[in-house]
Amino acid sequence: KYGIKEYASPGGGCLLTDQNFSEKLLKILEFWPDCTGNDIEPLKWGRVNWLKITSPQPSPSEGEGVNENVLLIIGRDEKDNENLEKLAISGDAIIQLAEKNGPTSLIRGIRHKELGISELEIEAPEELKLSELKMDEQKSREEIIKLAAGLTGYYAAKLRGKKVKLEIRIKK
């Protein structure tokens, strides 16, 4: 009727129609209601985990450590790693294997200019039971870094059960 002979496929295209991404988006809006596009963009790349940190600084109103939400994303492949590296903003922690190829991990929300840790040597776990990691429990900054390092080593499958050196840096 209108003389249209060719047209693009009408299916998909909008990231919001992807159930996995939509769940991640809802989660970030729950944890960080004032998030920006810079916080949402990394959700497209890698394995996304939410952690709770207990800040060592007491809250004046509560008299104890302040709960903060932390985003941990672990790259699945080279493209994820490159994108996480590009999307890192000032204050983000980046964890990478020092001597081998493997995942890049990005930690956003630790709000710390210096961690005092620039290198860490761990034994990459052979097996991983997420329930044993108690991801929903509050952790210190150091515990979050060690947890992220362990996951980074674990997801480098060829290094499971071996000693692994990791570099840890804060994006300036």
Side-chain angles (χ1 to χ4, degrees):
K1 177 179 176 178
Y2 296 105
I4 298 172
K5 302 282 186 218
E6 293 180 30
Y7 55 91
S9 172
C14 178
L15 196 53
L16 295 175
T17 64
D18 179 296
Q19 183 177 352
N20 290 330
F21 181 77
S22 293
E23 288 172 4
K24 293 174 191 177
L25 183 60
L26 288 172
K27 193 80 163 183
I28 198 169
L29 292 172
E30 174 188 334
F31 277 80
W32 288 344
D34 57 345
C35 66
T36 67
N38 287 337
D39 297 319
I40 294 169
E41 186 66 25
L43 300 177
K44 299 176 187 175
W45 310 102
R47 297 172 182 93
V48 175
N49 300 280
W50 284 97
L51 303 167
K52 288 198 172 284
I53 187 170
T54 301
S55 174
Q57 296 89 10
S59 164
S61 61
E62 297 173 27
E64 55 186 59
V66 178
N67 297 332
E68 299 175 14
N69 294 308
V70 175
L71 175 62
L72 166 62
I73 304 176
I74 304 162
R76 293 173 295 222
D77 55 31
E78 187 175 357
K79 187 174 181 180
D80 281 359
N81 293 345
E82 289 171 2
N83 283 306
L84 290 173
E85 187 80 31
K86 286 178 195 172
L87 294 168
I89 60 173
S90 179
D92 286 351
I94 300 167
I95 300 177
Q96 296 175 309
L97 297 172
E99 299 168 344
K100 304 280 183 183
N101 290 329
T104 294
S105 293
L106 177 126
I107 305 172
R108 180 163 295 169
I110 56 173
R111 298 181 189 160
H112 214 277
K113 297 213 185 253
E114 292 298 325
L115 291 169
I117 307 170
S118 61
E119 197 172 274
L120 189 62
E121 189 169 358
I122 63 160
E123 186 166 321
E126 279 192 54
E127 290 183 17
L128 189 63
K129 294 181 181 172
L130 290 176
S131 62
E132 291 178 6
L133 297 177
K134 300 178 181 168
M135 304 268 274
D136 57 339
E137 292 183 8
Q138 296 172 3
K139 298 181 181 341
S140 69
R141 285 177 172 79
E142 291 75 20
E143 289 171 322
I144 287 178
I145 293 295
K146 288 179 182 173
L147 172 68
L151 289 170
T152 304
Y154 174 78
Y155 286 119
K158 62 185 177 254
L159 300 176
R160 290 181 185 159
K162 298 179 182 172
K163 288 241 183 234
V164 178
K165 272 191 184 176
L166 298 138
E167 294 175 348
I168 303 162
R169 60 186 159 72
I170 302 293
K171 178 83 174 195
K172 304 270 184 210

